[in-house]
Amino acid sequence: ELVISQNSPGSSHEAIMERIVGLEFDKSQHTPEGKAASDTLGRIPAETLSNFMLHALKNEAAILATVAELFPRFDAELLKHGYTTNIRIAKNHAQLMALVWALQNVLQSAIPTHALEAALQYLRDAVPVRDAACRADGSVVQEFWDAYDYLQSQTIPDGEGGHIGLLNHSYDPALIAINLPHMLQVCAERRVSVPDSVTLKRALKDSRSHKYIECRVVKSRINAAYNRTITHSPTRSSTAACWFFSSEPTKPIKPKN
């Protein structure tokens, strides 16, 4: 097992993100009693504390039996009750839930049952949080979509009595078609910060909030609107090479009641 400790949420490849069980710690549960207990633990010699490993090894068979029995139950529960649809996320959290309950094989009655139940519920609640984190975009892609949302909310005349957004070249409302050189030009003109083209091309295929589909040439709605409204030449090409994304945002998982 690997423990990662940091102040801000991490971002990595999907396979790594799905294997992380996120635990958040803050001062909301700090109490004088908790501080006293912490101080007591700090004064216990390392030789005494090392007995935990000895007890765990002596009870290895009971621990493994508990995990083998409870893991499938917790795994099925997380998937059945809608905490996530991601099999890997469910598996990793269910494994830790089973190990938490197996602590009784080592510590006997040292941990009250209600505390173990609270720990299990904490891990259940952590599943949709991890699911959402795995669906979230990295900082580069997030900055890209923030710029897109801001600029697409601004409009230009379409030459047919209506208005269209500044960036989406697609006629299909189910798709977002973005020509990167055009978007970067608009960003420069409007003084909107966005990563450079090379950085975007490396990151956009991993877009999660709007799923990446493909790159291809499309009949451009924006160029058509421009050509209908200008009173001088030259006109723009009727097509544009675009990055295609689903216009439907990825929806978070909500546990069933």
Side-chain angles (χ1 to χ4, degrees), residues 205-222:
K205 289 185 179 180
D206 293 327
S207 176
R208 296 164 184 164
S209 56
H210 292 281
K211 184 176 177 58
Y212 167 77
I213 300 172
E214 62 180 342
C215 289
R216 62 179 171 86
V217 175
V218 64
K219 187 176 180 181
S220 171
R221 187 180 186 187
I222 290 177

Side-chain angles (χ1 to χ4, degrees), residues 169-197:
H169 290 256
S170 176
Y171 283 91
D172 186 345
L175 298 172
I176 297 174
I178 300 175
N179 176 267
L180 286 185
H182 171 242
M183 178 172 177
L184 293 174
Q185 177 186 348
V186 174
C187 286
E189 293 171 351
R190 307 280 174 133
R191 297 186 178 181
V192 175
S193 176
V194 72
D196 63 82
S197 178

Side-chain angles (χ1 to χ4, degrees), residues 80-132:
K80 178 180 178 181
H81 293 285
Y83 286 93
T84 182
T85 58
N86 187 305
I87 294 175
R88 184 181 285 157
I89 292 176
K91 175 183 177 181
N92 288 315
H93 284 73
Q95 286 176 330
L96 189 56
M97 291 169 71
L99 286 168
V100 166
W101 197 258
L103 282 172
Q104 295 175 102
N105 298 118
V106 183
L107 302 175
Q108 284 78 44
S109 60
I111 302 179
T113 301
H114 70 83
L116 290 171
E117 292 285 0
L120 294 185
Q121 188 56 50
Y122 181 93
L123 289 169
R124 290 187 187 97
D125 295 339
V127 173
V129 175
R130 173 53 37 184
D131 194 279

Side-chain angles (χ1 to χ4, degrees), residues 125-179:
D125 295 339
V127 173
V129 175
R130 173 53 37 184
D131 194 279
C134 291
R135 293 167 180 264
D137 290 317
S139 58
V140 169
V141 179
Q142 183 61 60
E143 187 176 354
F144 170 84
W145 286 118
D146 287 346
Y148 171 83
D149 290 339
Y150 171 70
L151 293 171
Q152 183 63 16
S153 67
Q154 302 177 38
T155 60
I156 56 174
D158 64 3
E160 297 179 322
H163 290 78
I164 60 173
L166 294 180
L167 297 179
N168 188 4
H169 290 256
S170 176
Y171 283 91
D172 186 345
L175 298 172
I176 297 174
I178 300 175
N179 176 267

Side-chain angles (χ1 to χ4, degrees), residues 15-30:
I16 295 176
M17 293 290 289
E18 290 176 349
R19 285 179 166 88
I20 294 174
V21 176
L23 306 176
E24 294 187 6
F25 298 92
D26 58 30
K27 297 179 180 179
S28 62
Q29 301 297 318
H30 285 195

